[in-house]
Amino acid sequence: MAKRATFAVRLLVLCCLGAIADAEYKLYQDPKKPLNRRIKDLLRRMTLEEKIGQMMQIERSVASPQVMNKYYIGSVLSGGGSSPGPEAPPEKWVDMVNDFQKGSLSTRLGIPMIYGIDAVHGHNTVYKATVFPHNVGLGATRDPILVKKIGAATALELRATGIPYTFAPCIAVCRDPRWGRCYESYSEDPKVVKEMTEIIPGLQGDIPPNSSKGVPYVHGQRKVAACAKHYVGDGGTTKGMNMNNTVTSMHGLLSIHMPPYDDSIIKGVATIMVSYSSFNGEKMHASRNLITAFLKKTLRFRGFVISDYKGIDLITDPPHANYTYSILAGIGAGIDMIMVPENYTEFMNELTWLVKGKFIPISRIDDAVKRILRVKFTMGLFENPLADYSMVKYLGSQTHRELAREAVRKSLVLLKNGENADEPLIPLPKKASKVLVAGSHAHNIGYQCGGWTIEWQGKSGNITTGTTILTAIKNTVDPKTEVVYKESPDAEYVKSNKFSYAVVVVGELPYAEGDGDSLNLTLPDSSYSSIRNVCGAVRCVVVLITGRPVVVQPYIAEIDALVAAWLPGTQGQGVADVLYGDHAFTGRLPRTWFTTVDQLPINVGDTPYHPLFPFGFGLTTKPTQSHFNITT
């Protein structure tokens, strides 16, 4: 009997030890195990509350380590311009992100959160970051390799601040420049936009050979998760109005707006954001047919689908009028992660009620969480959840600024250069007695960068480090050349000062999203006044700082040379590089330049097609020479 008792005790002890060992070993925490087994193991351990927490993305202003821990929050974001403080250094960003992350890691299962931000033309919210040209300018370069390099540089600057996820690229095919987000679109032509999806492997890394289509991919701690947006048809709304209705056939949607998504999915994009807009009257945030049936099943996208900011609130009119219905429609359509910037407890309570009441099946919740976990595991967040200061050196590095300067040079489109080929004004002579630089945008970094720079709507002034076009001209001309800057000179002043030539830099004031919607596409009156006063009195180059084609008639007759510089970002030296012939003009219009707004929408391939400058137009120059020809 004693031997049997001793054996039983030993067996019990061994079982307990085995149970303790099993409790200590969690398969999902083992990086050597296959991805799908890790996902399955973690999912089976999660409560409904923990699953719903993973589906929420909240704004940093309402986040804290305690909130992350209590509600199992899956993601935090910086909304437009949201930062830990004015001119915050990268170390302060790292500390903030890590504090939130520590709250997530302290939960029962220790699932790391993912921090996201709109780094749409470089890491544009962060002081001293490199700000690249907005997408419309990059589309003018026709250079996917350059765009891939910009993606890689942006990834490093994001990681410098501890952020592993960007809501970029915008792969909208803007068909009407009246849209306030048109500068976020590479082109009106889906072929150009498809080429520019090369920014995704720049941000995320090149997907391994023979990878399955649709599987998200992020290669290590120097890369970040990307987000293709806004799915789908956001660039085709009626009159270009933001969040409006895109009226087209399914063939029109698939042939114009969908191709860049197919390319993005093939390249392993980790996430896709749903558009505020509607398709033939149906809100995209409620479109099960396009999100679940087409995106997830037909295109085989296996990353996660994220809503736009308060996107499900806008399913109803007025917004948030029936939030229970909005959650049911949005989650039911196939959205996996919801941006609920402030009212996350309301979302959590309502979704919990819908699941427990069997209005939303648990299988839909599990699909969402599996996708979110797949991205997090792929990114290596479980193995490397916390950032350090080792990458702060990449923020605004000289290498990245040189890349941005190259992008500016290649993005500029020369629309006019003298009355004929025998009398060009560009390249401008560096040696001259006295040169006038005029216009509201000549010495204003904020205006050069446009919206989505430091603040959501952008801002006037020298809001971050960079080189204005005025400073660039002074850096470029001969030391003996006198450069005079006068923002708004009158005609008499110009005539009386005997300038050799003038450079007039004018454009749109900064804007973002719906605040930039415009039915007339005119510049401020002061811009046209500067053109009239200067160009009527001396030979002049007009440099347009705009996010899209704008009205230039009837002023173009007075202008000797006209340059579309788009929104070039912080490196204004790239403008002077080309104006003065150190580099050639090579940019080509990514958009049709209308003659009058009455023609809109007008896009290449339309019949009739009578633009002021056609899609693909761009005069070219040779460095330090005045010969030029037309490229179309």
Side-chain angles (χ1 to χ4, degrees), residues 283-588:
K283 290 280 188 179
M284 277 304 312
H285 275 73
S287 179
R288 180 176 172 81
N289 182 49
L290 284 169
I291 297 172
T292 295
F294 196 82
L295 180 61
K296 290 185 174 181
K297 293 183 178 177
T298 303
L299 296 184
R300 296 164 58 190
F301 174 62
R302 295 180 65 193
F304 69 78
V305 177
I306 187 168
S307 81
D308 208 332
Y309 196 90
K310 295 185 180 179
I312 63 168
D313 298 55
L314 301 180
I315 289 173
T316 59
D317 186 17
H320 205 83
N322 186 339
Y323 199 49
T324 305
Y325 167 75
S326 293
I327 294 170
L328 181 66
I331 300 296
I335 302 174
D336 304 310
M337 184 179 282
I338 309 294
M339 281 193 195
V340 277
E342 290 106 14
N343 297 324
Y344 54 90
T345 53
E346 180 187 16
F347 172 84
M348 179 188 67
N349 293 335
E350 291 294 309
L351 181 54
T352 301
W353 182 82
L354 286 167
V355 175
K356 287 183 175 179
K358 301 191 185 310
F359 297 101
I360 294 176
I362 193 66
S363 59
R364 171 75 272 271
I365 302 301
D366 286 350
D367 170 62
V369 178
K370 282 178 188 175
R371 290 167 176 275
I372 293 164
L373 294 178
R374 182 179 291 121
V375 170
K376 290 184 176 184
F377 278 124
T378 300
M379 295 172 67
L381 271 179
F382 282 81
E383 289 70 55
N384 297 286
L386 296 172
D388 57 34
Y389 300 157
S390 63
M391 295 183 72
V392 298
K393 62 187 177 184
Y394 291 112
L395 188 83
S397 73
Q398 189 57 36
T399 301
H400 294 168
R401 292 186 182 278
E402 287 298 324
L403 179 64
R405 182 174 171 179
E406 177 189 354
V408 173
R409 291 195 295 259
K410 291 182 175 179
S411 70
L412 303 179
V413 180
L414 184 57
L415 298 174
K416 182 178 180 181
N417 193 13
E419 291 303 317
N420 56 67
D422 296 325
E423 297 181 18
L425 180 55
I426 296 173
L428 294 170
K430 294 179 181 178
K431 291 185 177 182
S433 58
K434 189 160 60 170
V435 173
L436 173 65
V437 178
S440 53
H441 289 53
H443 196 45
N444 193 310
I445 289 287
Y447 284 2
Q448 270 178 218
C449 294
W452 289 108
T453 311
I454 304 299
E455 296 183 4
W456 174 42
Q457 292 292 326
K459 190 177 178 182
S460 175
N462 295 326
I463 57 176
T464 189
T465 53
T467 305
T468 67
I469 294 170
L470 171 65
T471 301
I473 290 171
K474 290 179 176 179
N475 290 343
T476 305
V477 297
D478 187 87
K480 294 180 181 178
T481 299
E482 182 185 357
V483 177
V484 177
Y485 172 58
K486 195 167 181 64
E487 183 175 327
S488 304
D490 58 39
E492 187 55 39
Y493 173 85
V494 180
K495 289 175 184 174
S496 63
N497 270 275
K498 297 182 180 179
F499 294 107
S500 304
Y501 59 84
V503 179
V504 182
V505 189
V506 293
E508 296 183 290
L509 302 180
Y511 56 83
E513 301 192 39
D515 285 21
D517 289 351
S518 171
L519 293 175
N520 57 37
L521 292 177
T522 54
L523 299 178
D525 290 342
S526 60
S527 292
Y528 294 123
S529 296
S530 294
I531 292 172
R532 280 195 306 268
N533 292 342
V534 177
C535 297
V538 66
R539 295 195 80 192
C540 76
V541 178
V542 172
V543 178
L544 294 175
I545 307 295
T546 68
R548 52 199 167 184
V550 292
V551 172
V552 292
Q553 292 281 47
Y555 310 98
I556 196 167
E558 296 180 62
I559 297 168
D560 296 289
L562 180 63
V563 176
W566 314 111
L567 297 167
T570 51
Q571 304 316 116
Q573 191 64 49
V575 176
D577 288 343
V578 183
L579 286 180
Y580 285 91
D582 292 330
H583 292 266
F585 272 95
T586 57
R588 298 163 58 195

Side-chain angles (χ1 to χ4, degrees), residues 121-407:
H121 61 143
H123 199 4
N124 42 261
T125 305
V126 178
Y127 184 63
K128 291 188 177 180
T130 310
V131 180
F132 293 91
H134 266 298
N135 287 355
V136 65
L138 298 182
T141 70
R142 303 296 202 274
D143 191 341
I145 296 172
L146 173 69
V147 169
K148 184 177 181 179
K149 290 178 181 176
I150 289 171
T154 301
L156 289 173
E157 298 210 13
L158 279 157
R159 287 290 189 172
T161 58
I163 297 176
Y165 178 30
T166 175
F167 308 123
C170 177
I171 53 172
V173 182
C174 176
R175 305 290 284 178
D176 194 323
R178 290 175 288 191
W179 187 33
R181 302 194 82 148
C182 207
Y183 64 73
E184 296 185 55
S185 168
Y186 293 106
S187 178
E188 70 189 38
D189 183 355
K191 296 187 188 71
V192 174
V193 179
K194 278 178 65 176
E195 290 174 356
M196 296 303 161
T197 61
E198 198 62 17
I199 195 171
I200 291 169
L203 289 163
Q204 298 190 159
D206 289 302
I207 194 165
N210 305 316
S211 294
S212 299
K213 179 184 175 182
V215 176
Y217 180 73
V218 181
H219 182 68
Q221 302 308 296
R222 295 167 68 87
K223 297 294 181 181
V224 298
C227 180
K229 65 183 188 184
H230 309 85
Y231 184 84
V232 60
D234 52 338
T237 60
T238 302
K239 293 186 178 180
M241 294 296 100
N242 196 44
M243 305 185 189
N244 211 329
N245 189 25
T246 296
V247 180
T248 186
S249 64
M250 193 65 185
H251 173 74
L253 191 77
L254 294 179
S255 62
I256 293 173
H257 300 285
M258 195 68 75
Y261 286 94
D262 202 24
D263 267 35
S264 299
I265 291 165
I266 290 169
K267 289 171 180 173
V269 72
T271 73
I272 289 176
M273 184 184 292
V274 183
S275 177
Y276 285 128
S277 60
S278 303
F279 171 55
N280 292 337
E282 180 185 40
K283 290 280 188 179
M284 277 304 312
H285 275 73
S287 179
R288 180 176 172 81
N289 182 49
L290 284 169
I291 297 172
T292 295
F294 196 82
L295 180 61
K296 290 185 174 181
K297 293 183 178 177
T298 303
L299 296 184
R300 296 164 58 190
F301 174 62
R302 295 180 65 193
F304 69 78
V305 177
I306 187 168
S307 81
D308 208 332
Y309 196 90
K310 295 185 180 179
I312 63 168
D313 298 55
L314 301 180
I315 289 173
T316 59
D317 186 17
H320 205 83
N322 186 339
Y323 199 49
T324 305
Y325 167 75
S326 293
I327 294 170
L328 181 66
I331 300 296
I335 302 174
D336 304 310
M337 184 179 282
I338 309 294
M339 281 193 195
V340 277
E342 290 106 14
N343 297 324
Y344 54 90
T345 53
E346 180 187 16
F347 172 84
M348 179 188 67
N349 293 335
E350 291 294 309
L351 181 54
T352 301
W353 182 82
L354 286 167
V355 175
K356 287 183 175 179
K358 301 191 185 310
F359 297 101
I360 294 176
I362 193 66
S363 59
R364 171 75 272 271
I365 302 301
D366 286 350
D367 170 62
V369 178
K370 282 178 188 175
R371 290 167 176 275
I372 293 164
L373 294 178
R374 182 179 291 121
V375 170
K376 290 184 176 184
F377 278 124
T378 300
M379 295 172 67
L381 271 179
F382 282 81
E383 289 70 55
N384 297 286
L386 296 172
D388 57 34
Y389 300 157
S390 63
M391 295 183 72
V392 298
K393 62 187 177 184
Y394 291 112
L395 188 83
S397 73
Q398 189 57 36
T399 301
H400 294 168
R401 292 186 182 278
E402 287 298 324
L403 179 64
R405 182 174 171 179
E406 177 189 354

